[in-house]
Amino acid sequence: MIKILLVDDHAVVRSGLKMLLNTNPEMEVIGEASEGNEGIKKALKLKPNVVVMDLSMPHGKDGLSATGELKKQMPEVNILILTMHDDEEYLFRAVQAGASGCILKSAPHDELMSAIESVANGNAYLHPAATKRLMEEYLGSLKHGSNDTYNLLSDREKEVLTLIAKGYSNKEIAEQLVISVKTVETHKGNLMEKLQMKTRPELVEFAVKKGLLGYGI
């Protein structure tokens, strides 16, 4: 029996998932939580095999932070991230935080059950679109040389880097790319981590050297 904890800020979503998963004789939803902190407490108390964790929970601790903290306290737990974001950057961050897999909220019901079974058995699970992008990125890095740190960046990160180099503020970048300021800050943090840089001037210098502004040095 796979014991499951649901962590999602929408009660209707939790209710629907619970009804669905409990139709499988090999699965049982043993608890629910509406945000990350509550999810961590219930996981430590209930000892589920799998935690199905919503990525975006605006009230309380979000899914990524909760995943990282829970894995530190309970390394044996398997966490499946449930998200509406079909974006490789969210996928990478979820895996870095310790998630065993990631599945879209729009996925068919049988795919969700397969994903839960997979992570419960200690395997990783990525939705098909994410697997395709990961393979493309890996093959691209082989083609262009894995030692070029620029190739480690996602397309969105490259866009953010270019706009930073052009002198746009985080708010202006958010408006240009039609994303939130918080998302821009996340991309900027990822840029600095991947490029091993600590300041905006360093990012600008890197972008200029790469010719992202139409000229290099």
PDB file of all heavy atoms in Angstrom, residues 37-74:
ATOM      1  N   ASN A  37       4.554  24.426   5.381  1.00  0.00           N
ATOM      2  CA  ASN A  37       4.878  24.172   6.784  1.00  0.00           C
ATOM      3  C   ASN A  37       3.988  23.083   7.385  1.00  0.00           C
ATOM      4  O   ASN A  37       4.459  22.200   8.097  1.00  0.00           O
ATOM      5  CB  ASN A  37       4.741  25.464   7.604  1.00  0.00           C
ATOM      6  CG  ASN A  37       5.922  26.399   7.398  1.00  0.00           C
ATOM      7  OD1 ASN A  37       7.066  25.969   7.374  1.00  0.00           O
ATOM      8  ND2 ASN A  37       5.644  27.679   7.232  1.00  0.00           N
ATOM      9  N   GLU A  38       2.700  23.168   7.064  1.00  0.00           N
ATOM     10  CA  GLU A  38       1.758  22.156   7.548  1.00  0.00           C
ATOM     11  C   GLU A  38       2.094  20.801   6.927  1.00  0.00           C
ATOM     12  O   GLU A  38       2.018  19.761   7.596  1.00  0.00           O
ATOM     13  CB  GLU A  38       0.324  22.549   7.188  1.00  0.00           C
ATOM     14  CG  GLU A  38      -0.732  21.578   7.715  1.00  0.00           C
ATOM     15  CD  GLU A  38      -2.140  21.911   7.245  1.00  0.00           C
ATOM     16  OE1 GLU A  38      -2.296  22.812   6.396  1.00  0.00           O
ATOM     17  OE2 GLU A  38      -3.081  21.236   7.718  1.00  0.00           O
ATOM     18  N   GLY A  39       2.508  20.822   5.649  1.00  0.00           N
ATOM     19  CA  GLY A  39       2.871  19.588   4.965  1.00  0.00           C
ATOM     20  C   GLY A  39       4.057  18.900   5.614  1.00  0.00           C
ATOM     21  O   GLY A  39       4.074  17.680   5.784  1.00  0.00           O
ATOM     22  N   ILE A  40       5.051  19.690   6.011  1.00  0.00           N
ATOM     23  CA  ILE A  40       6.234  19.140   6.675  1.00  0.00           C
ATOM     24  C   ILE A  40       5.846  18.487   7.995  1.00  0.00           C
ATOM     25  O   ILE A  40       6.259  17.361   8.302  1.00  0.00           O
ATOM     26  CB  ILE A  40       7.284  20.248   6.905  1.00  0.00           C
ATOM     27  CG1 ILE A  40       7.846  20.731   5.572  1.00  0.00           C
ATOM     28  CG2 ILE A  40       8.418  19.746   7.809  1.00  0.00           C
ATOM     29  CD1 ILE A  40       8.697  21.980   5.677  1.00  0.00           C
ATOM     30  N   LYS A  41       5.047  19.185   8.795  1.00  0.00           N
ATOM     31  CA  LYS A  41       4.624  18.656  10.100  1.00  0.00           C
ATOM     32  C   LYS A  41       3.850  17.352   9.943  1.00  0.00           C
ATOM     33  O   LYS A  41       4.075  16.384  10.676  1.00  0.00           O
ATOM     34  CB  LYS A  41       3.776  19.692  10.836  1.00  0.00           C
ATOM     35  CG  LYS A  41       4.549  20.935  11.270  1.00  0.00           C
ATOM     36  CD  LYS A  41       3.635  21.944  11.933  1.00  0.00           C
ATOM     37  CE  LYS A  41       4.399  23.207  12.334  1.00  0.00           C
ATOM     38  NZ  LYS A  41       3.518  24.249  12.923  1.00  0.00           N
ATOM     39  N   LYS A  42       2.926  17.325   8.982  1.00  0.00           N
ATOM     40  CA  LYS A  42       2.115  16.118   8.799  1.00  0.00           C
ATOM     41  C   LYS A  42       2.942  14.961   8.234  1.00  0.00           C
ATOM     42  O   LYS A  42       2.709  13.797   8.582  1.00  0.00           O
ATOM     43  CB  LYS A  42       0.915  16.422   7.901  1.00  0.00           C
ATOM     44  CG  LYS A  42      -0.125  17.298   8.589  1.00  0.00           C
ATOM     45  CD  LYS A  42      -1.484  17.198   7.942  1.00  0.00           C
ATOM     46  CE  LYS A  42      -2.540  17.930   8.773  1.00  0.00           C
ATOM     47  NZ  LYS A  42      -3.887  17.818   8.192  1.00  0.00           N
ATOM     48  N   ALA A  43       3.902  15.269   7.375  1.00  0.00           N
ATOM     49  CA  ALA A  43       4.751  14.223   6.825  1.00  0.00           C
ATOM     50  C   ALA A  43       5.581  13.572   7.936  1.00  0.00           C
ATOM     51  O   ALA A  43       5.719  12.345   7.995  1.00  0.00           O
ATOM     52  CB  ALA A  43       5.666  14.791   5.749  1.00  0.00           C
ATOM     53  N   LEU A  44       6.118  14.391   8.825  1.00  0.00           N
ATOM     54  CA  LEU A  44       6.926  13.864   9.928  1.00  0.00           C
ATOM     55  C   LEU A  44       6.078  13.015  10.876  1.00  0.00           C
ATOM     56  O   LEU A  44       6.558  12.036  11.452  1.00  0.00           O
ATOM     57  CB  LEU A  44       7.574  15.020  10.698  1.00  0.00           C
ATOM     58  CG  LEU A  44       8.641  15.813   9.921  1.00  0.00           C
ATOM     59  CD1 LEU A  44       9.071  17.053  10.712  1.00  0.00           C
ATOM     60  CD2 LEU A  44       9.849  14.940   9.604  1.00  0.00           C
ATOM     61  N   LYS A  45       4.805  13.381  11.008  1.00  0.00           N
ATOM     62  CA  LYS A  45       3.908  12.657  11.904  1.00  0.00           C
ATOM     63  C   LYS A  45       3.336  11.395  11.260  1.00  0.00           C
ATOM     64  O   LYS A  45       3.291  10.325  11.888  1.00  0.00           O
ATOM     65  CB  LYS A  45       2.759  13.578  12.338  1.00  0.00           C
ATOM     66  CG  LYS A  45       1.738  12.907  13.249  1.00  0.00           C
ATOM     67  CD  LYS A  45       0.609  13.870  13.605  1.00  0.00           C
ATOM     68  CE  LYS A  45      -0.433  13.192  14.492  1.00  0.00           C
ATOM     69  NZ  LYS A  45      -1.554  14.120  14.836  1.00  0.00           N
ATOM     70  N   LEU A  46       2.916  11.505   9.996  1.00  0.00           N
ATOM     71  CA  LEU A  46       2.192  10.403   9.347  1.00  0.00           C
ATOM     72  C   LEU A  46       3.089   9.417   8.597  1.00  0.00           C
ATOM     73  O   LEU A  46       2.655   8.309   8.279  1.00  0.00           O
ATOM     74  CB  LEU A  46       1.148  10.982   8.378  1.00  0.00           C
ATOM     75  CG  LEU A  46       0.073  11.888   9.017  1.00  0.00           C
ATOM     76  CD1 LEU A  46      -0.794  12.513   7.930  1.00  0.00           C
ATOM     77  CD2 LEU A  46      -0.771  11.096  10.001  1.00  0.00           C
ATOM     78  N   LYS A  47       4.321   9.828   8.276  1.00  0.00           N
ATOM     79  CA  LYS A  47       5.277   8.950   7.583  1.00  0.00           C
ATOM     80  C   LYS A  47       4.730   8.405   6.255  1.00  0.00           C
ATOM     81  O   LYS A  47       4.665   7.184   6.042  1.00  0.00           O
ATOM     82  CB  LYS A  47       5.684   7.765   8.475  1.00  0.00           C
ATOM     83  CG  LYS A  47       6.146   8.155   9.865  1.00  0.00           C
ATOM     84  CD  LYS A  47       7.416   8.968   9.857  1.00  0.00           C
ATOM     85  CE  LYS A  47       7.903   9.250  11.274  1.00  0.00           C
ATOM     86  NZ  LYS A  47       9.065  10.173  11.302  1.00  0.00           N
ATOM     87  N   PRO A  48       4.354   9.260   5.324  1.00  0.00           N
ATOM     88  CA  PRO A  48       3.855   8.762   4.029  1.00  0.00           C
ATOM     89  C   PRO A  48       4.994   8.218   3.177  1.00  0.00           C
ATOM     90  O   PRO A  48       6.164   8.535   3.396  1.00  0.00           O
ATOM     91  CB  PRO A  48       3.261  10.024   3.390  1.00  0.00           C
ATOM     92  CG  PRO A  48       4.116  11.134   3.944  1.00  0.00           C
ATOM     93  CD  PRO A  48       4.386  10.727   5.370  1.00  0.00           C
ATOM     94  N   ASN A  49       4.637   7.384   2.193  1.00  0.00           N
ATOM     95  CA  ASN A  49       5.626   6.917   1.226  1.00  0.00           C
ATOM     96  C   ASN A  49       5.891   7.986   0.173  1.00  0.00           C
ATOM     97  O   ASN A  49       7.013   8.138  -0.310  1.00  0.00           O
ATOM     98  CB  ASN A  49       5.140   5.648   0.516  1.00  0.00           C
ATOM     99  CG  ASN A  49       4.793   4.545   1.483  1.00  0.00           C
ATOM    100  OD1 ASN A  49       3.632   4.155   1.576  1.00  0.00           O
ATOM    101  ND2 ASN A  49       5.773   4.043   2.223  1.00  0.00           N
ATOM    102  N   VAL A  50       4.818   8.702  -0.180  1.00  0.00           N
ATOM    103  CA  VAL A  50       4.908   9.730  -1.218  1.00  0.00           C
ATOM    104  C   VAL A  50       4.174  10.994  -0.763  1.00  0.00           C
ATOM    105  O   VAL A  50       3.064  10.915  -0.232  1.00  0.00           O
ATOM    106  CB  VAL A  50       4.285   9.241  -2.551  1.00  0.00           C
ATOM    107  CG1 VAL A  50       4.284  10.363  -3.591  1.00  0.00           C
ATOM    108  CG2 VAL A  50       5.032   8.028  -3.078  1.00  0.00           C
ATOM    109  N   VAL A  51       4.814  12.134  -0.981  1.00  0.00           N
ATOM    110  CA  VAL A  51       4.167  13.423  -0.764  1.00  0.00           C
ATOM    111  C   VAL A  51       3.928  14.042  -2.136  1.00  0.00           C
ATOM    112  O   VAL A  51       4.875  14.236  -2.909  1.00  0.00           O
ATOM    113  CB  VAL A  51       5.035  14.374   0.075  1.00  0.00           C
ATOM    114  CG1 VAL A  51       4.368  15.753   0.177  1.00  0.00           C
ATOM    115  CG2 VAL A  51       5.266  13.800   1.462  1.00  0.00           C
ATOM    116  N   VAL A  52       2.661  14.300  -2.458  1.00  0.00           N
ATOM    117  CA  VAL A  52       2.331  14.996  -3.703  1.00  0.00           C
ATOM    118  C   VAL A  52       2.250  16.470  -3.349  1.00  0.00           C
ATOM    119  O   VAL A  52       1.333  16.909  -2.644  1.00  0.00           O
ATOM    120  CB  VAL A  52       1.002  14.492  -4.298  1.00  0.00           C
ATOM    121  CG1 VAL A  52       0.653  15.292  -5.551  1.00  0.00           C
ATOM    122  CG2 VAL A  52       1.098  13.010  -4.644  1.00  0.00           C
ATOM    123  N   MET A  53       3.229  17.243  -3.806  1.00  0.00           N
ATOM    124  CA  MET A  53       3.426  18.620  -3.362  1.00  0.00           C
ATOM    125  C   MET A  53       3.137  19.626  -4.474  1.00  0.00           C
ATOM    126  O   MET A  53       3.769  19.604  -5.530  1.00  0.00           O
ATOM    127  CB  MET A  53       4.876  18.785  -2.889  1.00  0.00           C
ATOM    128  CG  MET A  53       5.248  20.164  -2.391  1.00  0.00           C
ATOM    129  SD  MET A  53       4.872  20.406  -0.645  1.00  0.00           S
ATOM    130  CE  MET A  53       6.139  19.365   0.123  1.00  0.00           C
ATOM    131  N   ASP A  54       2.185  20.521  -4.218  1.00  0.00           N
ATOM    132  CA  ASP A  54       1.916  21.599  -5.156  1.00  0.00           C
ATOM    133  C   ASP A  54       3.117  22.546  -5.169  1.00  0.00           C
ATOM    134  O   ASP A  54       3.710  22.832  -4.124  1.00  0.00           O
ATOM    135  CB  ASP A  54       0.647  22.341  -4.728  1.00  0.00           C
ATOM    136  CG  ASP A  54       0.245  23.418  -5.721  1.00  0.00           C
ATOM    137  OD1 ASP A  54       0.681  23.369  -6.878  1.00  0.00           O
ATOM    138  OD2 ASP A  54      -0.514  24.323  -5.331  1.00  0.00           O
ATOM    139  N   LEU A  55       3.479  23.039  -6.332  1.00  0.00           N
ATOM    140  CA  LEU A  55       4.634  23.926  -6.438  1.00  0.00           C
ATOM    141  C   LEU A  55       4.314  25.333  -5.951  1.00  0.00           C
ATOM    142  O   LEU A  55       5.063  25.930  -5.178  1.00  0.00           O
ATOM    143  CB  LEU A  55       5.111  23.978  -7.889  1.00  0.00           C
ATOM    144  CG  LEU A  55       6.363  24.793  -8.180  1.00  0.00           C
ATOM    145  CD1 LEU A  55       7.579  24.174  -7.498  1.00  0.00           C
ATOM    146  CD2 LEU A  55       6.608  24.898  -9.675  1.00  0.00           C
ATOM    147  N   SER A  56       3.190  25.874  -6.399  1.00  0.00           N
ATOM    148  CA  SER A  56       2.841  27.262  -6.086  1.00  0.00           C
ATOM    149  C   SER A  56       1.769  27.329  -5.004  1.00  0.00           C
ATOM    150  O   SER A  56       0.609  27.002  -5.247  1.00  0.00           O
ATOM    151  CB  SER A  56       2.342  27.972  -7.347  1.00  0.00           C
ATOM    152  OG  SER A  56       3.321  27.957  -8.356  1.00  0.00           O
ATOM    153  N   MET A  57       2.177  27.764  -3.820  1.00  0.00           N
ATOM    154  CA  MET A  57       1.241  27.972  -2.712  1.00  0.00           C
ATOM    155  C   MET A  57       1.554  29.340  -2.120  1.00  0.00           C
ATOM    156  O   MET A  57       2.507  29.493  -1.347  1.00  0.00           O
ATOM    157  CB  MET A  57       1.391  26.865  -1.659  1.00  0.00           C
ATOM    158  CG  MET A  57       0.962  25.491  -2.172  1.00  0.00           C
ATOM    159  SD  MET A  57       1.116  24.156  -0.965  1.00  0.00           S
ATOM    160  CE  MET A  57       2.912  23.912  -0.961  1.00  0.00           C
ATOM    161  N   PRO A  58       0.777  30.367  -2.516  1.00  0.00           N
ATOM    162  CA  PRO A  58       1.091  31.752  -2.134  1.00  0.00           C
ATOM    163  C   PRO A  58       1.008  32.046  -0.645  1.00  0.00           C
ATOM    164  O   PRO A  58       1.636  32.984  -0.157  1.00  0.00           O
ATOM    165  CB  PRO A  58       0.072  32.571  -2.923  1.00  0.00           C
ATOM    166  CG  PRO A  58      -1.063  31.624  -3.192  1.00  0.00           C
ATOM    167  CD  PRO A  58      -0.417  30.292  -3.371  1.00  0.00           C
ATOM    168  N   HIS A  59       0.238  31.264   0.084  1.00  0.00           N
ATOM    169  CA  HIS A  59       0.080  31.500   1.523  1.00  0.00           C
ATOM    170  C   HIS A  59       0.866  30.441   2.294  1.00  0.00           C
ATOM    171  O   HIS A  59       0.601  29.255   2.197  1.00  0.00           O
ATOM    172  CB  HIS A  59      -1.400  31.470   1.914  1.00  0.00           C
ATOM    173  CG  HIS A  59      -2.241  32.434   1.126  1.00  0.00           C
ATOM    174  ND1 HIS A  59      -2.111  33.805   1.235  1.00  0.00           N
ATOM    175  CD2 HIS A  59      -3.193  32.219   0.186  1.00  0.00           C
ATOM    176  CE1 HIS A  59      -2.967  34.389   0.407  1.00  0.00           C
ATOM    177  NE2 HIS A  59      -3.637  33.452  -0.242  1.00  0.00           N
ATOM    178  N   GLY A  60       1.858  30.887   3.064  1.00  0.00           N
ATOM    179  CA  GLY A  60       2.693  29.940   3.793  1.00  0.00           C
ATOM    180  C   GLY A  60       3.911  29.559   2.966  1.00  0.00           C
ATOM    181  O   GLY A  60       4.304  30.261   2.035  1.00  0.00           O
ATOM    182  N   LYS A  61       4.505  28.429   3.285  1.00  0.00           N
ATOM    183  CA  LYS A  61       5.723  27.978   2.595  1.00  0.00           C
ATOM    184  C   LYS A  61       5.374  27.349   1.257  1.00  0.00           C
ATOM    185  O   LYS A  61       4.471  26.534   1.159  1.00  0.00           O
ATOM    186  CB  LYS A  61       6.473  26.969   3.477  1.00  0.00           C
ATOM    187  CG  LYS A  61       7.869  26.606   2.958  1.00  0.00           C
ATOM    188  CD  LYS A  61       8.548  25.605   3.859  1.00  0.00           C
ATOM    189  CE  LYS A  61       8.951  26.192   5.197  1.00  0.00           C
ATOM    190  NZ  LYS A  61      10.031  27.211   5.075  1.00  0.00           N
ATOM    191  N   ASP A  62       6.104  27.751   0.198  1.00  0.00           N
ATOM    192  CA  ASP A  62       5.826  27.217  -1.137  1.00  0.00           C
ATOM    193  C   ASP A  62       6.387  25.804  -1.283  1.00  0.00           C
ATOM    194  O   ASP A  62       7.133  25.316  -0.428  1.00  0.00           O
ATOM    195  CB  ASP A  62       6.420  28.130  -2.212  1.00  0.00           C
ATOM    196  CG  ASP A  62       7.940  28.200  -2.138  1.00  0.00           C
ATOM    197  OD1 ASP A  62       8.593  27.254  -2.580  1.00  0.00           O
ATOM    198  OD2 ASP A  62       8.469  29.209  -1.616  1.00  0.00           O
ATOM    199  N   GLY A  63       6.039  25.162  -2.389  1.00  0.00           N
ATOM    200  CA  GLY A  63       6.404  23.766  -2.592  1.00  0.00           C
ATOM    201  C   GLY A  63       7.895  23.508  -2.681  1.00  0.00           C
ATOM    202  O   GLY A  63       8.381  22.498  -2.174  1.00  0.00           O
ATOM    203  N   LEU A  64       8.646  24.396  -3.334  1.00  0.00           N
ATOM    204  CA  LEU A  64      10.088  24.197  -3.462  1.00  0.00           C
ATOM    205  C   LEU A  64      10.781  24.278  -2.109  1.00  0.00           C
ATOM    206  O   LEU A  64      11.608  23.436  -1.767  1.00  0.00           O
ATOM    207  CB  LEU A  64      10.683  25.236  -4.413  1.00  0.00           C
ATOM    208  CG  LEU A  64      10.448  25.006  -5.909  1.00  0.00           C
ATOM    209  CD1 LEU A  64      11.013  26.165  -6.716  1.00  0.00           C
ATOM    210  CD2 LEU A  64      11.070  23.696  -6.363  1.00  0.00           C
ATOM    211  N   SER A  65      10.438  25.306  -1.331  1.00  0.00           N
ATOM    212  CA  SER A  65      11.054  25.463  -0.008  1.00  0.00           C
ATOM    213  C   SER A  65      10.688  24.295   0.898  1.00  0.00           C
ATOM    214  O   SER A  65      11.534  23.769   1.622  1.00  0.00           O
ATOM    215  CB  SER A  65      10.591  26.783   0.627  1.00  0.00           C
ATOM    216  OG  SER A  65      10.975  27.886  -0.155  1.00  0.00           O
ATOM    217  N   ALA A  66       9.426  23.897   0.846  1.00  0.00           N
ATOM    218  CA  ALA A  66       8.973  22.789   1.691  1.00  0.00           C
ATOM    219  C   ALA A  66       9.658  21.485   1.298  1.00  0.00           C
ATOM    220  O   ALA A  66      10.016  20.677   2.159  1.00  0.00           O
ATOM    221  CB  ALA A  66       7.455  22.638   1.584  1.00  0.00           C
ATOM    222  N   THR A  67       9.858  21.290   0.002  1.00  0.00           N
ATOM    223  CA  THR A  67      10.530  20.073  -0.470  1.00  0.00           C
ATOM    224  C   THR A  67      11.953  19.997   0.067  1.00  0.00           C
ATOM    225  O   THR A  67      12.378  18.965   0.600  1.00  0.00           O
ATOM    226  CB  THR A  67      10.556  20.035  -2.010  1.00  0.00           C
ATOM    227  OG1 THR A  67       9.214  19.920  -2.494  1.00  0.00           O
ATOM    228  CG2 THR A  67      11.370  18.858  -2.522  1.00  0.00           C
ATOM    229  N   GLY A  68      12.691  21.099  -0.053  1.00  0.00           N
ATOM    230  CA  GLY A  68      14.058  21.122   0.434  1.00  0.00           C
ATOM    231  C   GLY A  68      14.163  20.864   1.922  1.00  0.00           C
ATOM    232  O   GLY A  68      15.002  20.078   2.380  1.00  0.00           O
ATOM    233  N   GLU A  69      13.278  21.506   2.695  1.00  0.00           N
ATOM    234  CA  GLU A  69      13.320  21.347   4.154  1.00  0.00           C
ATOM    235  C   GLU A  69      12.893  19.943   4.574  1.00  0.00           C
ATOM    236  O   GLU A  69      13.489  19.339   5.468  1.00  0.00           O
ATOM    237  CB  GLU A  69      12.419  22.387   4.817  1.00  0.00           C
ATOM    238  CG  GLU A  69      12.520  22.402   6.327  1.00  0.00           C
ATOM    239  CD  GLU A  69      11.786  23.574   6.958  1.00  0.00           C
ATOM    240  OE1 GLU A  69      11.676  24.629   6.300  1.00  0.00           O
ATOM    241  OE2 GLU A  69      11.315  23.433   8.100  1.00  0.00           O
ATOM    242  N   LEU A  70      11.845  19.422   3.918  1.00  0.00           N
ATOM    243  CA  LEU A  70      11.356  18.095   4.272  1.00  0.00           C
ATOM    244  C   LEU A  70      12.399  17.019   3.966  1.00  0.00           C
ATOM    245  O   LEU A  70      12.577  16.079   4.754  1.00  0.00           O
ATOM    246  CB  LEU A  70      10.055  17.795   3.531  1.00  0.00           C
ATOM    247  CG  LEU A  70       9.403  16.436   3.818  1.00  0.00           C
ATOM    248  CD1 LEU A  70       9.159  16.246   5.313  1.00  0.00           C
ATOM    249  CD2 LEU A  70       8.094  16.303   3.047  1.00  0.00           C
ATOM    250  N   LYS A  71      13.101  17.142   2.855  1.00  0.00           N
ATOM    251  CA  LYS A  71      14.124  16.153   2.503  1.00  0.00           C
ATOM    252  C   LYS A  71      15.277  16.157   3.501  1.00  0.00           C
ATOM    253  O   LYS A  71      15.903  15.125   3.734  1.00  0.00           O
ATOM    254  CB  LYS A  71      14.657  16.410   1.092  1.00  0.00           C
ATOM    255  CG  LYS A  71      13.686  16.041  -0.022  1.00  0.00           C
ATOM    256  CD  LYS A  71      13.364  14.553  -0.045  1.00  0.00           C
ATOM    257  CE  LYS A  71      14.519  13.724  -0.550  1.00  0.00           C
ATOM    258  NZ  LYS A  71      14.154  12.291  -0.729  1.00  0.00           N
ATOM    259  N   LYS A  72      15.547  17.315   4.096  1.00  0.00           N
ATOM    260  CA  LYS A  72      16.601  17.380   5.111  1.00  0.00           C
ATOM    261  C   LYS A  72      16.176  16.632   6.376  1.00  0.00           C
ATOM    262  O   LYS A  72      16.976  15.952   7.010  1.00  0.00           O
ATOM    263  CB  LYS A  72      16.912  18.834   5.453  1.00  0.00           C
ATOM    264  CG  LYS A  72      17.642  19.595   4.356  1.00  0.00           C
ATOM    265  CD  LYS A  72      17.880  21.040   4.765  1.00  0.00           C
ATOM    266  CE  LYS A  72      18.567  21.821   3.641  1.00  0.00           C
ATOM    267  NZ  LYS A  72      18.765  23.245   4.001  1.00  0.00           N
ATOM    268  N   GLN A  73      14.885  16.782   6.734  1.00  0.00           N
ATOM    269  CA  GLN A  73      14.388  16.159   7.956  1.00  0.00           C
ATOM    270  C   GLN A  73      13.945  14.710   7.747  1.00  0.00           C
ATOM    271  O   GLN A  73      13.943  13.922   8.691  1.00  0.00           O
ATOM    272  CB  GLN A  73      13.219  16.980   8.509  1.00  0.00           C
ATOM    273  CG  GLN A  73      13.588  18.398   8.895  1.00  0.00           C
ATOM    274  CD  GLN A  73      12.448  19.099   9.611  1.00  0.00           C
ATOM    275  OE1 GLN A  73      11.885  18.580  10.573  1.00  0.00           O
ATOM    276  NE2 GLN A  73      12.104  20.298   9.152  1.00  0.00           N
ATOM    277  N   MET A  74      13.579  14.376   6.522  1.00  0.00           N
ATOM    278  CA  MET A  74      13.032  13.057   6.239  1.00  0.00           C
ATOM    279  C   MET A  74      13.550  12.589   4.874  1.00  0.00           C
ATOM    280  O   MET A  74      12.802  12.528   3.900  1.00  0.00           O
ATOM    281  CB  MET A  74      11.488  13.144   6.238  1.00  0.00           C
ATOM    282  CG  MET A  74      10.749  11.837   6.324  1.00  0.00           C
ATOM    283  SD  MET A  74       8.954  12.154   6.425  1.00  0.00           S
ATOM    284  CE  MET A  74       8.353  10.456   6.394  1.00  0.00           C
TER     285      MET A  74
END
